[in-house]
Amino acid sequence: MPTAINFDELRKLTGQGAQLVEVLPTEEYEWAHLPGALSLPLKQLDEQAGKLDRSRPVIVYCHDSL
């Protein structure tokens, strides 16, 4: 199950080697993304998941304005 984390937890986890993945569409990622985040648009996630290091935790981020 997904777990929400705050910015301090994000920094701690990425500092410990977790991968930060943004699933925003490419245009939105280019406009505004978190530093160090890998872009894997949601619609391409299945086919591009091989880019991830399976031995490291993954943090997935998607800005939702709703």
Side-chain angles (χ1 to χ4, degrees), residues 1-59:
M1 270 331 274
T3 303
I5 61 173
N6 63 34
F7 188 70
D8 289 335
E9 292 169 308
L10 171 68
R11 288 177 41 193
K12 178 182 175 187
L13 291 169
T14 55
Q16 295 172 342
Q19 303 166 92
L20 178 57
V21 175
E22 291 208 35
V23 294
L24 298 166
T26 302
E27 302 78 31
E28 289 183 42
Y29 174 85
E30 291 172 358
W31 176 71
H33 63 274
L34 296 173
L38 176 64
S39 176
L40 292 179
L42 189 57
K43 290 182 179 182
Q44 300 170 11
L45 189 57
D46 285 341
E47 61 203 44
Q48 293 191 27
K51 292 182 177 182
L52 299 172
D53 180 344
R54 297 177 67 100
S55 68
R56 295 170 45 207
V58 176
I59 300 168

